[in-house]
Structures are given as C-alpha cells and as structure tokens.
Amino acid sequence: MPQSLARRMEGLHSSAIRDLLTLTARPDVVSLAGGLPDPEFIPRERIRKEAELALADPASVQYGETTGLRKLRDVLAAREGAKIGRPLDAADVVVTHGSQQALSLLAQVLLDPGDVVIVEEPAYTGALQVFRAAEADVRSVPLDADGIDTAALQGMLETGLRPTVVHTVSNFHNPRGVVLAAGRREHLAALADRFGFWVIEDDPYGELFFDGPPPAPVAALSDRVIRLSSASKILAPALRVGWLHGDRRVCEAVELLKQGADLCGSSLTHQIAAGLLSDESWLDLHLEMLRARYGSRARALADGVASTFGDRAGVSSAVGGMFCWTEFTSADVDTAALLQTAVEHGVAFVPGSAFGVAAEHRSALRLCFATCSEDVLTGAAARLGDAYADHAQS
C-alpha cells in the first residue's frame, strides 16, 4: 500500500521562482527572474587565496561547532554589534547554511502549528515556504514606499490578533526594493515590546546600498528582534554562509535543532568567509565596487522600463539590493499570462502573483538587475515592451 506523506506537505508547492529559473535556462533568454549576483563580481581569486590559507590548517576539513567556526562568529559579532550599536557576544551568533536555513530553524523554534505569522504584502517567497511548512496561520500587512505599514499592523493588533512572529525584509525589500523607514522601525520595535511578538528582521541586502546606508536595524531598538543576514550577496552564494543573532535562549534552541539538521556547517567555507570579512580594507573596496556597479545597473533597468512603458507602468526607484518592482497601471494586465510571450521574445521575469498572500499582484512583476550589464538590461526592457505589445494584440 502506498504510504501517505506528513500533513505539513499538504498545500506546499515548489518555489515559482525556482521553477521559472529552470524554464528560462535557454541561452537566448535574458533572465531577470533570479536573484543572482553577477559571477564577475564574485571575488574568485581572493576566495582561492583564502582557501589555500584555510587548507593549511587541518581543522578546516574537520567537523566543527554546530554554531559555526568561533573565528567567524567573532568577526560577525563585531560587524553586527557595530550595526546595532552595542557589543554582541559571539555566543549570541549562530552561523547557518545560508540565511534561508536560519529562517527555517527559527520557524521550528518559535512556531507551533496554527500560530499566527505576519508577513509583508507582497512577501518574500522563501519566507512563505518556511512558514507554510511550519503550518503557521500566515497573515499579511500592506507594504508601501516606506516599508511595512506599521499603523495597519497596530490596527490588527488592537482588534485582538496576537501574532507569534512578524517577518520583515527591512532593507531593499525582496520583491519591492523598498527600505523600512526609521520611524516605522521604531514603531515596529515598540509594538513588539508592547504586544510580545518576535520580529524576524531578514537583511541579506543591507550592504548593497547605492545612495547611502539604510537606517539602524530594528534589532538596535528591541530585544525581541532576531536578525538574519548572509554573505551570499556580497561574497559568494556557494560559500553558504548565513547567520542569525538575538535572544540567547532562541540561539540555544536553534543550535539544538541544527544538531539534528546538519550537525555543523563547513569549517572550510567558514574559515574562508572569516578571512574575507575580517579584512576590512579589502572588504570596503569590494563593497564600494558592488554598490557602484549594481547601482549603475539598477538605474539602467529602471530607465529602460520607464522609457519603454511611459505612463503604462510604474517602476520602483531601486536605491539598493537587487530588484525593481514594476506595476502596470491597467488592472487588465496579467503578468503571469504575459510571461510566456516574454520568454518567446527572449526575456523573463517573475510575475507578481508569486509573492502574493492576500492579494494577487497580477499586474505586477519583479525584475532583477544584478546579473546583467547595463546594455543587456536596456535591451531586455525593449524586449519586454515588444512582448507587452504582442500580448496586448493577442
């Protein structure tokens, strides 16, 4: 007799973005769908040198601590402590297999089935997968140009809703590209303290600012914030180095679950990441390069979309991160249907519906500017315009 799967698998679906990356792997398609850094900006030669240094130490190829290499946690504690404005102990840092694992482990630690989780609308798809797998009751709060609408959140709380977790991508939101305003950060922290929920501040893009750094983290304003980040966007995704820090009880619980998940991370990649992140003079120059190059690409894509569509669509002003959010002014445009025509014209994107919780976002789409050069992005915007015209005629 066939065996049934666990209840938590009911209603779970593969990430629309991951499926789309497979669909658009053709060399003739300019993919603006993924959230991938440009391989040319990944410091491969420097990583090679750090790997050679690490391999001189036999410990680099041995099992390590579940919470991560102590040297790396020391570096991360110093960097994160500077961001939140207070000393951070290495014991309060857990290194994970990318920040997605940190989010998954936190969901297991903090959530029981049926617990309420509030996410932003539109939402990061990886968060939706994690919280649905945890069998949470996922609700959403609108997102605007200043980030999560904390006034709307307060209204929900005052009607009696009691979330266990509020999740926010505070800097250069995926997919909207917006930054949570300083005043709203303060309000969110105050609401967490007043109503007793946890805030998961997900910040993989905070170092990639183009016009100046974002405000201080929400974690600087409340002890009820667990902060996540990653080296994937600034160093290399293949290192698989993410981290979280916050309440020590939570960190200890994450460590306990991580023992059952993977026992430990890669001592080798932890040593490599520690070497890169601790070399402040090199890292500052590397980040300056990323900000300049990605900023130029963001402007090229936004200008290309604006020039192509005029008042038929609005595009977010990308001030950091990797994404532009575009919304057509006509509600009749279905970007999920438009996608097939776009692929035929040699360009791909992620339809807004992939990020919906309570709303469909059927007239919106997400574009990634990080992987392609400025001229390719300009051409991709033109291809998207041709696809739009053909789709409208059909």
Side-chain angles (χ1 to χ4, degrees), residues 281-331:
S281 58
W282 172 84
L283 183 61
D284 287 345
L285 290 174
H286 176 65
L287 289 172
E288 286 179 11
M289 180 274 293
L290 292 180
R291 292 163 187 156
R293 299 300 300 275
Y294 285 145
S296 176
R297 293 179 176 193
R299 290 185 291 273
L301 180 58
D303 290 348
V305 172
S307 175
T308 298
F309 292 101
D311 59 5
R312 291 174 295 172
V315 59
S316 62
S317 177
V319 293
M322 293 185 166
F323 306 109
C324 286
W325 181 253
T326 298
E327 292 189 74
F328 290 101
T329 52
S330 172

Side-chain angles (χ1 to χ4, degrees), residues 111 114-119 131 136-140 163-167:
L111 298 172
D115 282 352
V116 173
V117 173
I118 293 180
V119 299
F131 296 140
D137 178 4
V138 180
R139 312 285 185 94
S140 63
T164 302
V165 165
V166 173
H167 176 267

Side-chain angles (χ1 to χ4, degrees), residues 108-127:
Q108 295 178 64
V109 164
L110 299 177
L111 298 172
D112 288 318
D115 282 352
V116 173
V117 173
I118 293 180
V119 299
E120 295 153 327
E121 181 78 70
Y124 166 52
T125 56

Side-chain angles (χ1 to χ4, degrees), residues 146-151 153-154 157 168 170 179-195 197 199 201 215-225:
D146 290 324
I148 187 171
D149 186 343
T150 53
L153 173 61
Q154 180 173 341
L157 296 169
T168 178
S170 54
V179 175
L180 183 59
R184 290 193 179 179
R185 292 174 190 237
E186 294 171 1
H187 192 196
L188 178 58
L191 291 174
D193 291 339
R194 175 182 170 189
F195 290 95
F197 56 81
V199 175
E201 183 181 21
V218 185
L221 306 170
S222 171
D223 292 333
R224 297 200 62 80
V225 181

Side-chain angles (χ1 to χ4, degrees), residues 10 16 45 59 71 76 88 98 106 112 115 143 197 200 223 234 241 271 274 349 365 373 392:
E10 297 176 6
E45 181 61 24
K71 179 182 177 182
L76 294 173
L88 187 64
L106 276 176
D112 288 318
D115 282 352
L143 190 76
F197 56 81
I200 296 180
D223 292 333
I234 63 171
V241 171
Q271 286 208 38
F349 56 82
L365 51 88
S373 64

Side-chain angles (χ1 to χ4, degrees), residues 39-53:
E40 294 304 314
F41 299 164
I42 294 174
R44 297 191 301 275
E45 181 61 24
R46 181 59 194 270
I47 290 172
R48 183 187 67 79
K49 293 178 180 178
E50 289 294 340
E52 290 177 350
L53 290 172

